[in-house]
């Protein structure tokens, strides 16, 4: 683990590098983004191998959920950085006449990115792209639970960038704590709600602005008008990709009572279609990240009737794709985010039932509704507060870079992706450029006799 003096040394070097102004040059940023793109493309195979070694993630899932997304983000940033960084003119205020009003963006300075293990590559690189595009220097603390991917990240970054510009520091929570002692100009954290609170406290000490990308219990509603086969197929994909270890995966289903039996049959069929009769032998099905998560998850199996899966093997950290019928709301599985391949199926009859269940929990990172009834779906989207979501599908909101990705309430604060990442890592400076060819004396003292006039003016400005 790096000592506190090593860390303060690194921080000082990054402060000094930022101070010389190199990262403010747009050509420098663009060059850095291009270098990152090249090294990612060169290491595509190595990235997939590292992810497989960490938790048997298949090559297809690695490419789709980790590599392709960041390549697209990089290409977008390279293409648009000139446009994004130009000061934007906004309509001037009559009160300032004559003036021109503009928004400038400037980098915060030195940024700390702390990442989780579940998409250990993408959740490091995607925020890094925003931080580079915005002109910051960066220290990255990847997850200690994915040693192969984190080591690869360290290699890729150290062979591409100088440590005074971008550096990966590997380590566990003690390293993260040590890093948090420093005064960063921005902190970008992805992880659990529990650790999010620790990060917020550390940031508060220095009044450091931050983004918190956290988690929650994401409801997924299937009403009586939904296309059952298609809905089941999409839900099984979204719940069991990455073995359910996805922050925006559906956490539990709320199925209209009238379609419960038919829908369960469809879910069971789709699991077999995707992973075969024995998912343990499927090349496409990942493992649980570590023993403590395996134990936490396997303990949930007692909380409801197992309708599919339910097999566990601790020697291989394997838990099969599992459907759990009607667990009590008081049971363990219905207390916190599941974050694994166990899908509780609850039923409802009325809108009041939905409210009663969904509002038991803090605001979720995602919510999904499957329905052919547009009025019902729209009401659900408007009635509940959550980070983002989709109708008639799951998780797909994540891939559109025009949609900012982030939580609300305890599922997080701030958002990123595409241009939003650039904005997240930039301070917006409001500038009024005042003309000197005219000086209206109205605002200057003495104010005598101007009170009535200001009242009149305020009515039409
Ligand atoms: P975690 O909060 O345990 O760890 C995340 C990072 O924080 C790791 O780098 C870890 O080393 C560090 N950390 C752990 N304890 C710490 C402490 N006491 N002080 C400082 N740093 C500490 O999360 P995880 O288990 O790696 O990831 C799973 C969680 O992340 C889930 O809750 C999931 O919903 C959430 N998540 C959110 C998003 C999102 O984009 N909103 C994406 C992926 C995962």
């Amino acid at each position: 683990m790096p000592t506190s003096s090593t860390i303060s040394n690194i921080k000082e070097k990054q402060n000094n590098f930022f101070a010389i102004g190199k990262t403010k040059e747009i050509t420098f940023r663009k060059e850095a983004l291009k270098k990152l793109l090249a090294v990612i493309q060169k290491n595509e195979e190595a990235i997939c191998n590292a992810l497989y070694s960490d938790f048997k993630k298949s090559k297809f899932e690695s490419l789709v959920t980790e590599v392709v997304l960041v390549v697209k983000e990089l290409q977008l940033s390279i293409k648009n950085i000139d446009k994004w960084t130009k000061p934007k003119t906004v309509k001037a205020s009559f009160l300032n006449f004559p003036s021109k009003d503009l928004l400038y963006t400037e980098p915060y300075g030195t940024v700390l990115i702390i990442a989780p293990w579940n998409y250990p590559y993408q959740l490091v690189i995607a925020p890094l792209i925003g931080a580079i595009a915005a002109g910051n220097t960066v220290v990255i603390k990847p997850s200690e639970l994915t040693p192969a991917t984190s080591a690869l990240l360290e290699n890729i970054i150290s062979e591409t960038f100088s440590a005074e510009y971008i550096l990966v520091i590997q380590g566990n929570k003690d390293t993260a704590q040590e890093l948090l002692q420093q005064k960063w100009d921005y902190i970008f954290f992805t992880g659990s709600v529990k650790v999010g609170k620790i990060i917020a406290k550390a940031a508060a000490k220095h009044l450091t602005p931050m983004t918190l990308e956290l988690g929650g219990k994401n409801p997924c509603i299937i009403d009586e008008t939904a296309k059952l086969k298609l809905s089941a197929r999409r839900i099984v994909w979204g719940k069991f990709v990455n073995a359910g270890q996805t922050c925006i995966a559906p956490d539990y289903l709320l199925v209209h009572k009238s379609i419960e039996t038919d829908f369960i049959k469809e879910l069971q069929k789709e699991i077999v279609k995707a992973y075969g009769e024995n998912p343990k032998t499927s090349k496409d099905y990942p493992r649980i990240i570590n023993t403590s998560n395996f134990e936490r998850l396997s303990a949930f199996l007692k909380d409801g009737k197992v309708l599919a899966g339910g097999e566990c093997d601790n020697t291989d950290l394997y838990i099969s794709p599992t459907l759990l019928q009607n667990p009590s709301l008081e049971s363990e599985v219905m207390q916190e985010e599941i974050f694994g391949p166990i899908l509780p199926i609850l039923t409802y009859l009325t809108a009041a039932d939905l409210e009663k269940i969904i509002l038991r929990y803090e605001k979720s990172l995602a919510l999904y509704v499957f329905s052919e009834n547009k009025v019902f779906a729209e009401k659900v989207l408007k009635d509940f507060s959550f980070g983002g979501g989709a109708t008639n599908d799951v998780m797909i909101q994540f891939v559109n870079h025009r949609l900012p990705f982030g939580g609300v309430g305890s599922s997080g604060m701030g958002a990123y992706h595409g241009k939003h990442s650039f904005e997240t890592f930039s301070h917006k400076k409001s500038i009024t450029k005042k003309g000197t060819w005219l000086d209206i004396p109205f605002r200057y003292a003495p104010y005598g006799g101007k009170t009535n006039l200001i009242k009149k003016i305020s009515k039409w400005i």
Side-chain angles (χ1 to χ4, degrees):
M1 180 184 147
T3 62
S4 58
S5 76
T6 314
I7 285 177
S8 55
N9 221 334
I10 289 162
K11 179 70 172 63
E12 199 183 326
K13 281 191 180 142
Q14 289 217 344
N15 285 347
N16 293 341
F17 186 66
F18 181 75
I20 62 171
K22 204 77 198 138
T23 66
K24 289 192 177 174
E25 292 169 13
I26 310 307
T27 46
F28 178 85
R29 298 187 207 178
K30 209 191 268 186
E31 211 40 54
L33 292 167
K34 284 183 182 166
K35 277 188 195 165
L36 187 59
L37 178 61
V39 78
I40 282 176
Q41 287 175 329
K42 190 178 103 191
N43 282 280
E44 201 175 275
E45 196 68 29
I47 293 158
C48 294
N49 291 342
L51 290 161
Y52 187 80
S53 145
D54 281 331
F55 58 119
K56 292 201 177 157
K57 187 158 167 156
S58 72
K59 185 166 184 184
F60 181 83
E61 275 193 17
S62 295
L63 287 174
V64 171
T65 65
E66 309 252 14
V67 181
V68 173
L69 278 173
V70 299
V71 166
K72 289 273 147 230
E73 289 264 315
L74 271 164
Q75 288 166 336
L76 182 89
S77 299
I78 293 164
K79 188 169 157 215
N80 290 292
I81 190 163
D82 291 313
K83 195 166 75 190
W84 292 346
T85 48
K86 275 206 183 92
K88 306 273 171 312
T89 307
V90 301
K91 196 173 167 209
S93 166
F94 174 75
L95 291 173
N96 289 333
F97 185 81
S99 81
K100 185 175 176 189
D101 289 11
L102 300 113
L103 278 177
Y104 283 60
T105 52
E106 67 173 16
Y108 280 106
T110 53
V111 165
L112 174 65
I113 295 174
I114 300 181
W117 57 264
N118 64 326
Y119 289 87
Y121 186 74
Q122 187 244 116
L123 293 174
V124 163
I125 303 292
L128 175 64
I129 295 167
I132 294 175
N136 300 280
T137 69
V138 190
V139 167
I140 298 159
K141 210 297 276 165
S143 175
E144 67 278 26
L145 300 186
T146 46
T149 309
S150 298
L152 182 72
L153 277 166
E154 186 175 2
N155 288 344
I156 285 178
I157 296 297
S158 65
E159 77 185 34
T160 315
F161 301 108
S162 67
E164 58 190 356
Y165 178 30
I166 304 171
L167 180 69
V168 171
I169 298 184
Q170 290 197 66
N172 59 14
K173 69 175 168 44
D174 298 330
T175 305
Q177 288 286 343
E178 207 54 71
L179 285 162
L180 288 167
Q181 298 299 317
Q182 300 293 320
K183 184 181 185 307
W184 299 92
D185 298 303
Y186 200 89
I187 297 175
F188 189 101
F189 173 78
T190 308
S192 61
V193 174
K194 187 175 131 220
V195 179
K197 289 178 184 169
I198 295 170
I199 304 293
K201 212 167 163 187
K205 201 167 131 205
H206 299 294
L207 284 182
T208 301
M210 69 193 149
T211 295
L212 297 178
E213 293 281 343
L214 310 178
K217 245 180 140 39
N218 306 322
C220 179
I221 301 163
I222 302 94
D223 87 347
E224 66 281 23
T225 68
K227 293 186 177 169
L228 299 193
K229 199 173 179 53
L230 184 65
S231 309
R233 181 172 223 189
R234 290 177 177 176
I235 290 168
V236 163
W237 166 76
K239 177 67 187 186
F240 300 114
V241 84
N242 222 37
Q245 302 165 114
T246 305
C247 57
I248 47 172
D251 188 277
Y252 61 97
L253 303 187
L254 288 162
V255 180
H256 193 272
K257 187 76 192 152
S258 63
I259 52 154
E260 182 189 14
T261 313
D262 291 344
F263 191 57
I264 286 170
K265 275 188 203 143
E266 294 299 337
L267 289 169
Q268 288 165 328
K269 275 193 245 167
E270 287 302 329
I271 291 175
V272 176
K273 254 167 114 179
Y275 301 107
E277 292 291 348
N278 180 10
K280 199 173 181 188
T281 58
S282 163
K283 287 194 177 68
D284 298 326
Y285 189 66
R287 296 302 185 252
I288 306 305
I289 191 66
N290 63 4
T291 310
S292 71
N293 271 300
F294 174 87
E295 281 165 6
R296 180 182 65 79
L297 289 163
S298 44
F300 291 154
L301 297 176
K302 63 174 182 350
D303 289 344
K305 184 174 169 203
V306 172
L307 298 173
E311 290 102 32
C312 303
D313 177 355
N314 63 359
T315 61
D316 191 23
L317 298 181
Y318 166 77
I319 299 181
S320 57
T322 299
L323 302 176
L324 208 59
Q325 192 178 28
N326 214 7
S328 143
L329 291 175
E330 310 309 324
S331 63
E332 289 287 313
V333 75
M334 291 309 294
Q335 300 315 303
E336 283 183 5
E337 180 188 18
I338 297 171
F339 216 59
I342 297 170
L343 185 58
I345 303 169
L346 282 68
T347 56
Y348 75 96
L349 276 171
T350 63
D353 296 341
L354 286 179
E355 262 189 34
K356 209 173 110 200
I357 298 171
I358 294 172
L359 296 182
R360 283 173 71 91
Y361 304 103
E362 296 286 350
K363 293 175 182 179
S364 56
L365 184 58
L367 180 147
Y368 306 108
V369 52
F370 287 77
S371 173
E372 292 300 305
N373 177 345
K374 291 204 169 86
V375 176
F376 170 74
E378 198 61 19
K379 184 167 158 49
V380 167
L381 295 182
K382 287 183 175 157
D383 280 358
F384 298 104
S385 179
F386 52 94
T391 63
N392 294 315
D393 212 332
V394 293
M395 312 216 296
I396 52 166
Q397 71 276 18
F398 187 84
V399 302
N400 183 353
H401 65 82
R402 293 173 200 92
L403 293 173
F405 176 72
V408 58
S410 82
S411 57
M413 59 180 78
Y416 71 130
H417 283 184
K419 187 180 181 204
H420 308 285
S421 298
F422 167 77
E423 288 176 345
T424 286
F425 286 100
S426 303
H427 163 62
K428 275 202 182 97
K429 236 172 7 201
S430 298
I431 302 294
T432 296
K433 291 188 176 172
K434 183 78 174 178
T436 52
W437 58 272
L438 178 72
D439 191 38
I440 300 165
F442 184 67
R443 66 174 144 151
Y444 303 121
Y447 305 124
K450 294 180 183 173
T451 316
N452 284 340
L453 189 54
I454 188 64
K455 281 184 185 161
K456 272 187 198 150
I457 292 173
S458 65
K459 281 187 189 145
W460 49 270
I461 51 172

